[in-house]
Amino acid sequence: MTTYSSSSMDSFINNNLAIEWLKRLKDNGYRLTTPRRAVVKTIANSDHVLNPFEVFELASNDYPGLGLVTVYRTLDKLEELNLIQRVHQPSGCQSFVVTHPGHQHIIICEHCGRVDFFREDPEGINLLMKEVGGDSGFDITNHWLQLFGVCKDCQGR
């Protein structure tokens, strides 16, 4: 596999987020191979949830020799570095999306996979956690909220 210097990295990927991710990977001891760069570019440039096979198909446009194992390994490394987060789909298929700073929740279009982030009303979620905790006997310490629906673009189709 081929690796490139940081100067050629800029010409391969013209995206600040992807460049930042590649730097983080390198700083954590991971090799910056061409296939890995193609995977990073693909997911960093997406505003939709992508499952590993979708990443594979899209990244193969940049690197036709890409292997599915490389996709899975790169996704694992990006998730380990908190650069992407796993999204659980109603179909059971796990997908990934770019992590956003701060505590936010996800709303995903069931038709096109577009992702938007939102912040909840802290008072409302705290009340819900207290109620659910009281009913279940759990001491709820954290939460993760994903909503699914149909985005405005898909509603108009």
Side-chain angles (χ1 to χ4, degrees):
M1 291 188 188
T2 308
T3 58
Y4 291 95
S5 67
S6 60
S7 61
S8 63
M9 174 172 52
D10 294 340
S11 63
F12 182 79
I13 298 177
N14 190 17
N15 174 285
N16 290 337
L17 183 60
I19 292 169
E20 178 186 321
W21 287 7
L22 289 169
K23 182 180 180 332
R24 291 269 311 271
L25 285 166
K26 185 176 181 182
D27 290 348
N28 282 276
Y30 299 114
R31 293 179 344 139
L32 302 183
T33 62
T34 304
R36 183 165 288 152
R37 290 170 188 273
V39 171
V40 166
K41 176 185 173 189
T42 298
I43 196 155
N45 286 318
S46 179
D47 62 351
H48 290 68
V49 293
L50 297 173
N51 67 44
F53 192 72
E54 291 168 328
V55 172
F56 171 75
E57 287 181 322
L58 293 168
S60 291
N61 293 327
D62 286 331
Y63 189 80
L66 180 66
L68 195 52
V69 170
T70 299
V71 171
Y72 277 99
R73 287 182 180 156
T74 303
L75 291 172
D76 284 345
K77 289 171 186 11
L78 293 173
E79 185 180 27
E80 181 182 305
L81 294 171
N82 295 316
L83 301 173
I84 62 173
Q85 69 185 61
R86 192 175 302 258
V87 174
H88 301 278
Q89 301 278 50
S91 65
C93 183
Q94 294 184 5
S95 299
F96 296 87
V97 67
V98 175
T99 301
H100 282 262
H103 184 83
Q104 295 190 19
H105 300 289
I106 302 171
I107 185 164
I108 302 167
C109 179
E110 295 174 313
H111 292 191
C112 72
R114 184 177 131 207
V115 175
D116 282 329
F117 289 83
F118 67 95
R119 295 185 187 277
E120 83 280 342
D121 167 24
E123 202 172 294
I125 197 73
N126 288 335
L127 181 62
L128 176 64
M129 288 171 48
K130 184 176 180 179
E131 184 178 314
V132 169
D135 291 347
S136 66
F138 274 74
D139 177 18
I140 298 178
T141 58
N142 206 342
H143 67 278
W144 181 43
L145 184 60
Q146 288 182 187
L147 301 177
F148 297 90
V150 180
C151 71
K152 286 182 184 179
D153 291 342
C154 290
Q155 290 174 30
R157 291 183 194 154

